[in-house]
């Protein structure tokens, strides 16, 4: 069945460092892909999404490109801030019931 | 802005109790979802609903039931709470109806502890 695999955390970076969180997927067809973020004590919020191959989603300095050939949707940010500390979830729209399927989440901690 | 609210942020119950978790959304969304979130396991779908009075099982429905009597409200019911149901419960909603998944909007979560 459809699935999402993202790099295990926790990831600890210094402020202004470059961030990459890897996400790969297995799916039939061409699902929409999402990154959600969960700040401490809160629910999930959509960070960005891409609906077709080669689309780039971007928001708040984060970017991810839908790569069909490598079945990947890696999240990147050029210069992280302390306020980016959160758990990041990669997800795809797919599965037998057409719902969102989430990765296990990657916890990011950014130190000043 | 879409708002999804959950009735409690923290809840402590005893084994065997019947537990109700309530979720309300204010954007007239057709779809509503209940997930549980556990460390190392990510989010797992318990139940979802594409319309009033309809429900579909997700990946881990055992031990849970749901109710959707009104479009804006989706309730998760633990018929007889057990310690392995201690978890964070997240409700979400989206527009689009069955087979379509637009962006899901999440509530703040209810952290349930079963003693």
């Amino acid at each position: 069945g459809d699935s999402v695999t993202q790099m295990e955390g926790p990831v600890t970076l210094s402020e202004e460092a470059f961030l990459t969180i890897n996400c790969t997927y297995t799916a039939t067809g061409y699902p929409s892909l999402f990154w959600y973020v969960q700040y401490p004590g809160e629910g999930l919020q959509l960070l960005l999404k891409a609906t077709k191959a080669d689309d780039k989603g971007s928001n708040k300095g984060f970017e991810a490109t839908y790569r069909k050939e490598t079945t990947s949707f890696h999240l990147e940010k050029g210069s992280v801030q302390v306020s980016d500390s959160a758990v990041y979830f990669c997800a795809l729209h797919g599965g037998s019931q057409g719902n969102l399927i989430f990765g296990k989440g990657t916890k990011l901690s950014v130190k000043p | 802005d879409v708002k999804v609210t959950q009735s409690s942020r923290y809840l402590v119950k005893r084994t065997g109790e019947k537990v109700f978790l309530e979720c309300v959304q204010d954007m007239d969304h057709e779809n509503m979802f209940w997930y549980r979130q556990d460390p190392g396991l990510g989010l797992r779908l318990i139940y979802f609903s594409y319309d009033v009075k309809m429900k579909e099982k997700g990946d881990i429905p055992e031990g849970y039931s749901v109710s959707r009597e009104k479009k804006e409200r989706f309730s998760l019911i633990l018929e007889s709470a057990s310690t392995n149901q201690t978890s964070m419960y997240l409700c979400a909603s989206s527009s689009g109806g069955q087979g379509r998944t637009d962006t899901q909007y999440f509530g703040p979560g209810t952290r349930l502890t079963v003693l």
Side-chain angles (χ1 to χ4, degrees), chain B residues 13 25 27 30 33 45-46 52 60 73 78-80 83 91 93 97 99 102 105 110 112:
Chain B
K13 296 292 181 180
Q25 51 93 3
M27 282 302 291
E30 292 86 356
F33 308 83
L45 182 64
I46 305 172
V52 176
I60 51 164
R73 187 180 297 271
L78 286 65
E79 297 290 343
S80 178
T83 55
C91 175
S93 72
D102 290 328
Y105 296 88
T110 296
L112 172 67

Side-chain angles (χ1 to χ4, degrees), chain A residues 2-4 25-27 31-34 90-95 99-101:
Chain A
D2 295 359
S3 65
V4 174
Y25 67 89
T26 301
S32 296
L33 300 173
F34 304 80
C90 186
L92 67 82
H93 172 211
N99 291 308
L100 282 182
I101 296 171

